[in-house]
Amino acid sequence: MSRSDLLVAIMREHRESLVSYAEKMLGDRGLAEDIAQEAVIRAWRSSDRLLGMEGSVRGWLFTVTRHLVIDWVRKPHARREVVGDAYNDPVSGTDGTGAVHDRLAVRPLLRKLSAEHRAVLVHIYLYDRTLQETAGILGVPVGTVKSRQHNALRKLRAVVRPEAA
């Protein structure tokens, strides 16, 4: 069997099962299709090993798919990635208008902050990163991130509720 024959066989025999498997873990058909596609690409790249393998190609594919799903779930920025302006959350029944409203209200407030303060708040609250992750990304000590967060929130409170300042 050649590499191209292996790829055709995998696509024909296993692709839909891989998509279904990933979709059960992720709850997202589109993302599951992307994960399954990556598993097939990895199979094609490892075709020499797979062609000589005594075990199950199907088992190898499902193992790779499971690892890809785990890797995707562990990525902090990927967990929160939403395409488009609105997100329809089937669990809570919200239609995303609240998120759009919040975004429209928050954006002008963030513009009133310095770039350093804005960056800290975006990483911590919008990307849900830890203080340590934010410090690493911005290249500053954790203490600097903490003080920027504190000062940025204090300034935002003063803008939103001047009487509280």
Side-chain angles (χ1 to χ4, degrees), residues 5 19 21 23 26-27 35 48 62 79 84 106 108 129-130 143 153:
D5 292 339
V19 171
Y21 178 63
E23 185 178 13
L26 295 166
I35 296 282
D48 293 337
F62 276 84
R79 286 191 304 251
V106 169
R129 294 192 171 117
T130 65
L153 291 174

Side-chain angles (χ1 to χ4, degrees), residues 73-124:
V73 169
R74 286 181 178 166
K75 290 181 182 177
H77 67 278
R79 286 191 304 251
R80 289 149 198 89
E81 182 176 330
V82 176
V83 178
D85 285 338
Y87 171 64
N88 185 8
D89 184 356
V91 175
S92 68
T94 61
D95 62 1
T97 56
V100 173
H101 176 268
D102 291 347
R103 184 176 299 151
L104 292 172
V106 169
R107 189 170 283 162
L109 293 173
L110 288 175
R111 286 190 189 118
K112 295 183 183 219
L113 298 173
S114 69
E116 293 84 12
H117 289 137
R118 184 173 45 248
V120 166
L121 293 185
V122 166
H123 284 290
I124 292 173

Side-chain angles (χ1 to χ4, degrees), residues 137-151:
I137 291 168
L138 298 177
V140 297
V142 174
T144 302
V145 171
K146 286 181 183 179
S147 67
R148 287 180 184 174
Q149 177 189 17
H150 173 78
N151 291 330

